[in-house]
Amino acid sequence: MIIANWKANGGRKSNKDWSTIFLNSLSKEVTSSIGIAPSHIHFMQLLDIFKNSSLKIGLQDVDFENGARTGSISASMASEMNCSFSILGHSERRTLFNEDNKLIDIAWNEIIKCGIINSETKYETSKVLKITKKLDITCMDFTMSKIIFQQVIG
């Protein structure tokens, strides 16, 4: 699965325009291997735009607990919104918020408990994470998704 992390990019109009071109240019087989993690405020818009496609819409992060923290999104909230995945362990969050493997593992268990992913996915993802750490890969940002998009349809 390729995940495009849009970070704090995008707006309602640009999201709609980009998504229309994207949907009209790729086959169902290709979109089933792609996930988009828009900003939290654009999650529902993208979920609606891609509701009839096999593309996955997820979050850029979920909080490691279901506690009351300003600005946080809990795994249970994400599950209620039909979130397909969440990016966890991003290098920026590790650096800026001191998130370590212990907190990330707690978040993993929360997203499994809330039904966002299953335990088999966690196992497969842990193998991928070992590879990406060696290659120093984190995830793509919004501009990178355009490059990947051009490579796939070009």
Side-chain angles (χ1 to χ4, degrees):
M1 179 178 202
I2 297 171
I3 297 174
N5 179 7
W6 286 12
K7 300 190 180 197
N9 294 294
R12 291 192 59 79
K13 183 177 178 346
S14 64
N15 292 347
K16 185 177 179 183
D17 293 345
W18 182 88
S19 298
T20 300
I21 294 168
F22 190 76
L23 270 177
N24 292 330
S25 302
L26 298 176
S27 69
K28 185 175 183 175
E29 292 78 30
V30 173
T31 58
S32 66
S33 301
I34 298 174
I36 297 177
S39 65
H40 291 318
I41 63 170
H42 295 117
F43 175 85
M44 293 305 291
Q45 179 196 17
L46 274 285
L47 191 64
D48 185 55
I49 290 171
F50 291 107
K51 67 184 169 200
N52 295 319
S53 82
S54 58
L55 190 130
K56 313 284 188 287
I57 304 298
L59 293 175
Q60 295 177 11
D61 187 58
V62 294
D63 196 52
F64 60 92
E65 293 182 345
N66 284 320
R69 273 180 287 288
T70 302
S72 292
I73 306 288
S74 69
S76 61
M77 292 165 67
S79 179
E80 288 176 4
M81 297 185 319
N82 296 317
C83 178
S84 296
F85 66 90
S86 178
I87 298 171
L88 298 174
H90 193 287
S91 60
E92 291 172 359
R93 296 201 56 91
R94 288 177 179 270
T95 302
L96 298 173
F97 300 105
N98 297 315
E99 290 183 356
D100 59 14
N101 290 344
K102 181 181 176 185
L103 292 179
I104 293 164
D105 195 52
I106 294 168
W108 269 117
N109 291 325
E110 282 296 311
I111 64 175
I112 290 169
K113 183 173 100 181
C114 293
I116 296 171
I117 65 167
N118 58 38
S119 56
E120 290 81 22
T121 303
K122 179 181 176 182
Y123 173 74
E124 290 300 315
T125 305
S126 68
K127 291 193 300 188
V128 172
L129 287 174
K130 289 177 186 174
I131 295 167
T132 59
K133 284 179 185 175
K134 289 180 185 175
L135 299 175
D136 196 28
I137 297 170
T138 52
C139 50
M140 295 175 290
D141 64 20
F142 180 66
T143 55
M144 283 299 292
S145 68
K146 291 179 183 175
I147 293 167
I148 297 299
F149 170 65
Q150 291 169 352
Q151 290 175 347
V152 169
I153 66 165

